[in-house]
Amino acid sequence: MVIASLLAHPRRVFGAIALICAAMLAFGILYLQNVVGLEPCPMCIVQRYALIIVGVFCALAAFSKGPGGWRLWGLLAVAMSAFGAFTAARQSWLQWNPPAFATCGRDLYGMIESFPLQRAIPMIFKGGGDCTAVDWTFLGGSIANWSFVWFVIFALVILAVLLRGGRAAVRG
């Protein structure tokens, strides 16, 4: 009943997801990075950018007047959520199965500046020693594990809104 009521107002759902993304970014940057002192690895930075883009797409969907606008931004947010989930899943896999010889390697910006993009992107997903480290956990899950969970939640909620259709889109 509550879920059906929320899904009847897609713009509110998109606004809520945008706010959750902003809160997650604030927690990651303001607390984990600046207070705890954790430095993000290349895969963490890619996930951070994916989260920013999901939040921006959801904010644009929330401010769209017609159903065509929020559907377009919603589809783009689902695609970016899937990319973020893939990146987080890959990092989680690296954390559970670290390579035999883990080296820290370059940071994300160093890779992009030093190598052509077609070479830098596979290097990011190959991971380095810092991508396999679990420096912080919550309820047994690493940052990558929780990122994966939230990206999947975002994708599923947005898909539910999109599949629900525009029955109440005018009211949303």
Side-chain angles (χ1 to χ4, degrees), residues 89-108:
R90 176 67 179 149
Q91 184 175 8
S92 294
W93 186 85
L94 285 170
Q95 290 173 344
W96 294 326
N97 304 298
F101 298 101
T103 61
C104 285
R106 297 175 180 261
D107 66 341
L108 177 67

Side-chain angles (χ1 to χ4, degrees), residues 23-120:
M24 290 172 63
L25 287 164
F27 176 75
I29 295 168
L30 298 177
Y31 178 72
L32 290 178
Q33 188 171 346
N34 293 329
V35 174
V36 177
L38 299 179
E39 286 300 317
C41 70
M43 294 182 94
C44 292
I45 293 171
V46 170
Q47 291 169 59
R48 185 179 290 178
Y49 286 142
L51 189 62
I52 290 169
I53 294 170
V54 168
V56 168
F57 285 164
C58 286
L60 290 169
F63 289 114
S64 294
K65 294 294 181 193
W70 61 257
R71 284 187 181 123
L72 171 67
W73 295 119
L75 283 172
L76 292 172
V78 167
M80 190 51 64
S81 293
F83 174 72
F86 168 78
T87 305
R90 176 67 179 149
Q91 184 175 8
S92 294
W93 186 85
L94 285 170
Q95 290 173 344
W96 294 326
N97 304 298
F101 298 101
T103 61
C104 285
R106 297 175 180 261
D107 66 341
L108 177 67
Y109 303 108
M111 284 186 225
I112 292 173
E113 288 176 358
S114 301
F115 299 102
L117 201 55
Q118 65 265 23
R119 237 180 111 201

